[in-house]
Amino acid sequence: MTLMSRLLTAAAAVFAITGTAHAQNAFVTADRMVDVESGRLIENAAVLIEDGKVKFAGDMSTVRMAIPEDATRIDLSGYTLLPGLIDMHVHLTSSSDYHGYRGLALSDEMSAIIGVVNAQTTLDAGFTTVRNVGAGSFGDVALRDAINQGMIPGPRMFVSGPSIGITGGHCSDNNLLPEEYKLEGEGVADGPWAARSAVRKNIKYGADLIKTCSTGGVLSKGTKVGAPQYTVEELTALTEEAHSHGLKVASHAHGAEGIRNALMAGVDTIEHASFIDDEGIRLAKKNGAYLSMDIYVTEYILGEGEAAGILEESLEKERMTGQTQRDNFRKAHEAGVKMVLGTDAGVYPHGQNARQLSRMTRFGMTSAEALQAATVNAADALGKGDTIGKLAPGYFADIIAVQGNPLDYISILESVDFVMKEGVVYKSVD
Ligand code: ARG
């Protein structure tokens, strides 16, 4: 890790010179602001920020408090303000440059560097919070801590550490080499007690949540998308263990049976949810579980995946999955299942996370619902609904600005011009 520490020191130096890591009290004004909860626009918006938190957010004419003299004025005339976006399914230490066998060339050190670069790219794109669901060598923990300590710019991260799953399963994702190489995923744990122990280990080394896999996947060699992985007994043990420590569980699940198994075990979010059936929909609603359906990434995989090194067997699995997932996104949403924005950034290039929002509207959501999935719903699914996801007194000052009205044209969120996280400006309009 010496390389990592040197790199972080260098990044910190650059960061200090540009002077952006400084939280100031600020008074931001803009043409309007989206109230994501009501899905309504507030004209003549003003946000007062003190110590990295929102003191007031709303219509300028209703500000009933003195603007402190030391507050920096930030004039965003012509812009619309929104709370910073949240992506519930990213892999910051992964890159779309290392698909398939190319991934075998990736060292832990290179993954860490990739993470530093992607953290900045993601924040610049307007994502002030991410949930990182699966990373090797606790590189996600190091990245989160470096960001929190102000060493490098990046989104607020909630991290899982290594994904926990069965031998040869999607979460071990190490099926590329023959047996004599003895390659095994870090989070492999077979049986209820091994699963509990893997949870304990991830907590010991800094995880904020647990990521598991209850079915095969598209990009893992030799796994079946539709086939369950882990028994209900194993998933229940894992989930109970995580919950008893106050951690939430995200389960990767494409196939209907594995989705039901994970929901029966009480997991908090289902990732992908491609082949969810009526019973899965019923269970998700009953439990209040969220679905995180990555309906943009299929376009990247089928469009650019082959050139990016994705294996033919994975392309074939994607061809069988993508359209059904979109249809089921519509169906689950119509049925009233709670949804968050989760994109699987890292499979496609980081920074393009907002592209999924327009797909969510194409497959049944209103613009306001897509924005809620990327803000208040995501915050709630993280258990952080009282600190992030909206612009209201006491919330972190995570603010982005775009030119135009995202409720009319959601794709405008693919071009975020201003980014503030916890009162610190990371991207400003010139
Ligand atoms: N990481 C996921 C997997 O390998 C990506 C799935 C992408 N496909 C999709 N239709 N969402 O299973």
Side-chain angles (χ1 to χ4, degrees), residues 73-119:
R73 306 272 167 155
I74 302 177
D75 174 11
L76 295 172
S77 307
Y79 288 89
T80 306
L81 306 181
L82 300 99
L85 303 175
I86 305 172
D87 190 333
M88 293 292 280
H89 192 125
V90 304
H91 301 276
L92 290 185
T93 57
S94 301
S95 156
S96 53
D97 294 332
Y98 291 91
H99 277 302
Y101 279 91
R102 294 178 195 171
L104 292 176
L106 204 50
S107 61
D108 285 349
E109 286 78 1
M110 185 57 101
S111 296
I113 294 169
I114 284 171
V116 171
V117 173
N118 291 333

Side-chain angles (χ1 to χ4, degrees), residues 89 91 170 216-220 225 252 254 272 274 293-298 301 318 321-323 325 344 347:
H89 192 125
H91 301 276
H170 183 77
V218 170
L219 298 174
S220 47
V225 179
H252 159 110
H254 288 285
H272 315 297
S274 309
M293 298 179 75
D294 51 343
I295 56 173
Y296 164 68
V297 73
T298 183
I301 295 175
E318 183 60 51
T321 305
Q323 191 52 48
Q325 187 189 32
D344 220 350
V347 172

Side-chain angles (χ1 to χ4, degrees), residues 218 305-306 309-319:
V218 170
E306 189 180 354
I310 294 181
L311 306 179
E312 175 49 35
E313 70 160 76
S314 291
L315 297 174
E316 191 47 37
K317 286 194 271 187
E318 183 60 51
R319 287 179 206 115

Side-chain angles (χ1 to χ4, degrees), residues 24 28 115 117 119 138 156 177 233 270 294 321 332 335 341 411 417:
Q24 332 121 313
V28 183
V117 173
F138 294 94
R156 180 179 300 103
L177 294 175
E233 188 189 6
I270 298 286
D294 51 343
T321 305
L341 174 99
S411 301
D417 294 305

Side-chain angles (χ1 to χ4, degrees), residues 356-387:
Q356 187 172 300
L357 291 166
S358 61
R359 280 62 178 183
M360 292 163 89
T361 61
R362 195 180 305 160
F363 295 98
M365 283 187 173
T366 62
S367 299
E369 286 168 339
L371 277 175
Q372 285 156 1
T375 54
V376 274
N377 289 8
D380 181 50
L382 284 165
K384 301 290 170 191
D386 53 348
T387 48

